[in-house]
Amino acid sequence: MFVAIACTPALGQVNVPSKQVAPVPGYCYKATLASWTGQDCYSSAGAAVAAAVAYMNAQVYDGGSFTYWSVYTVVSIPDLSAVSSGTARYTGQRCYSNRACDPVDTTISGLVGKTKVADSCPANAEMGGGTCWCSAGFQPDGTGTACVPQCQVGNVLSSGYYDIGTNAQATPLLWQCKNGCGANFDGESPAGSAMVDNTKHWYAKGQYLGNGIPCTTPSNAPEGLQVLPADSCDPAKYDKGTFNGKTICTLKGTNTPATPAPSASSSSSSNSTTTNNSDGSTTTKETSTTTAANGSSTTTTTTTTTNPDGSKSSNTVVVTTPSPTSDDDEKTACEKNPSDKGCGGSAATIGSSWTSKTAGKSFSSVVSGFVGKVGGTPLVTATRGFFTVSTGGSCPTWSTSVPYLNMSLDFTAFCSSTAMAAYLVVRAVLLVLASWLAFRIALDN
């Protein structure tokens, strides 16, 4: 192992307690054979054993009338972390020039031992005053045995699209540990979707910004994708195709589109109420609501009225509430306007799809029946007739003689055309006030 050691540590790093890191214990390892002792001290026991076996394999021995050599492979190496010496096992063959090879399974006849040498500093650290200090831009990790990049607030550690699963209301991992530094997610969710093996997945988009806090346990957060993945189908079960520019999955060997896997987070609820009406009929109201994983909901309300004669009439109302994040932006032009040219032609006419549910009923008969029912309510009967007023008579005139003036005065101005026009205005105001007052009295009684 090659270790670069700087003679002078970076300015400002020595004697800073927060920068101190434990040194790497220094040892070297040798393997001793009966006929050879490795003179080099290797960085690990495995390297020492490999050198010894390579030496044996390189030798060709003289057996007099023949020669022989070895073809060995290392099988096991002693663990010298707790002991200072041990044996290594190797297997292979000893081959002869005049006959077949013999199998060999044995141990190195000598010892593999370790020797103490000077300690060294871990990567990104420097020696100063007999102690290791993390270099500029690095800091000790949580164990104090390695130097990791210094955590800076605001550093972008990862960015892109992140898969949050099949629930549009889910959130990405809000915190993760990357390269020894903690980071918090900053972005939007959901920011897009893609079909993964016939199942719709939602994605958040943003970046993980460093919070300046060191960490030791790497998180399992995936790397951000620079673009949303292409739609895909499970190749073991489905064939991939397109319809109106949208990816569809069809069962292998058929042209039937596969039903997308339902989201585990969708839910539904329903209830029913029955009311007895004053005319002897009953009204049953059934309501069911289905909420999808993306937050959209569909409420279906069916109202059924059963008349005393047993006949029934019903009405169904469907109300759809879109999700907070609509899929309209992802729809193709034909999906938004299927009746456009090139998208299947004009929309089909209603035709005979709409028919009367009860024989003998028509629009006029239903309206007439409704008017009759309303006319029989107490509210209408209480006010019936109070607007009828009997009137009669003629416009009065008055005249008198004034002897002192030797003339007659005729008071007919109240019956002039001007007065009559004014009376129309006064009558209108009085009728409005009287009608309002009469209506209140009728309701109070």
Side-chain angles (χ1 to χ4, degrees), residues 310-400:
S311 60
K312 294 183 179 181
S313 61
S314 62
N315 179 46
T316 300
V317 177
V318 179
V319 178
T320 300
T321 302
S323 63
T325 300
S326 175
D327 287 342
D328 286 345
D329 293 339
E330 301 178 16
K331 291 183 178 180
T332 64
C334 284
E335 286 180 305
K336 294 180 181 179
N337 301 288
S339 62
D340 283 355
K341 184 177 180 180
C343 298
S346 302
T349 58
I350 293 177
S352 60
S353 299
W354 291 81
T355 59
S356 176
K357 292 187 176 181
T358 305
K361 285 192 174 184
S362 64
F363 179 79
S364 60
S365 65
V366 172
V367 173
S368 299
F370 174 75
V371 172
K373 289 182 179 181
V374 172
T377 61
L379 176 64
V380 175
T381 56
T383 61
R384 183 174 296 161
F386 73 86
F387 286 112
T388 303
V389 179
S390 299
T391 60
S394 61
C395 182
T397 61
W398 176 70
S399 63
T400 185

Side-chain angles (χ1 to χ4, degrees), residues 7-265:
C7 296
T8 304
L11 184 63
Q13 305 303 308
V14 177
N15 297 327
V16 178
S18 61
K19 290 285 187 175
Q20 186 173 351
V21 65
V24 178
Y27 293 98
C28 70
Y29 301 85
K30 292 184 177 183
T32 302
L33 302 175
S35 58
W36 172 84
T37 298
Q39 299 303 312
D40 295 326
C41 201
Y42 295 91
S43 61
S44 67
V49 173
V53 172
Y55 169 81
M56 290 188 293
N57 289 343
Q59 305 303 310
V60 177
Y61 300 95
D62 184 5
S65 60
F66 62 91
T67 58
Y68 60 94
W69 60 93
S70 303
V71 183
Y72 298 146
T73 301
V74 178
V75 176
S76 65
I77 300 170
D79 179 8
L80 302 184
S81 59
V83 297
S84 60
S85 63
T87 57
R89 177 170 168 257
Y90 60 94
T91 61
Q93 297 175 325
R94 173 171 289 183
C95 298
Y96 300 85
S97 60
N98 60 346
R99 62 183 180 86
C101 299
D102 293 335
V104 174
D105 185 346
T106 185
T107 59
I108 291 179
S109 55
L111 296 175
V112 180
K114 64 180 179 180
T115 302
K116 185 73 175 73
V117 295
D119 294 341
S120 61
C121 292
N124 304 313
E126 302 161 347
M127 183 70 71
T131 304
C132 292
W133 311 88
C134 288
S135 303
F138 295 87
Q139 64 186 24
D141 66 356
T143 64
T145 59
C147 293
V148 295
Q150 190 167 356
C151 299
Q152 300 288 341
V153 176
N155 279 357
V156 179
L157 303 185
S158 176
S159 64
Y161 289 91
Y162 300 88
D163 190 343
I164 60 174
T166 59
N167 185 355
Q169 306 304 315
T171 59
L173 189 65
L174 300 180
W175 180 92
Q176 67 164 306
C177 180
K178 187 176 179 66
N179 298 329
C181 295
N184 298 327
F185 180 80
D186 180 30
E188 58 179 324
S189 177
S193 63
M195 188 163 63
V196 180
D197 290 345
N198 194 43
T199 302
K200 188 172 186 178
H201 281 230
W202 294 90
Y203 290 81
K205 182 181 181 182
Q207 54 191 359
Y208 283 92
L209 300 178
N211 54 24
I213 303 175
C215 55
T216 58
T217 304
S219 58
N220 295 323
E223 292 293 333
L225 303 175
Q226 297 308 305
V227 295
L228 287 173
D231 291 335
S232 64
C233 304
D234 184 354
K237 299 179 181 179
Y238 305 104
D239 293 323
K240 183 179 178 181
T242 58
F243 180 75
N244 282 342
K246 199 72 172 178
T247 301
I248 61 173
C249 299
T250 58
L251 296 173
K252 281 189 173 296
T254 70
N255 292 322
T256 304
T259 302
S263 172
S265 60

Side-chain angles (χ1 to χ4, degrees), residues 417-428:
S417 59
T418 302
M420 292 301 175
Y423 295 156
L424 292 176
V425 176
V426 174
R427 184 180 66 175

Side-chain angles (χ1 to χ4, degrees), residues 387-438:
F387 286 112
T388 303
V389 179
S390 299
T391 60
S394 61
C395 182
T397 61
W398 176 70
S399 63
T400 185
S401 176
V402 182
Y404 302 101
L405 299 178
N406 194 23
M407 62 181 298
S408 297
L409 298 179
D410 188 7
F411 294 94
T412 60
F414 294 109
C415 294
S416 66
S417 59
T418 302
M420 292 301 175
Y423 295 156
L424 292 176
V425 176
V426 174
R427 184 180 66 175
V429 174
L430 290 176
L431 283 176
V432 171
L433 295 177
S435 297
W436 175 78
L437 182 60

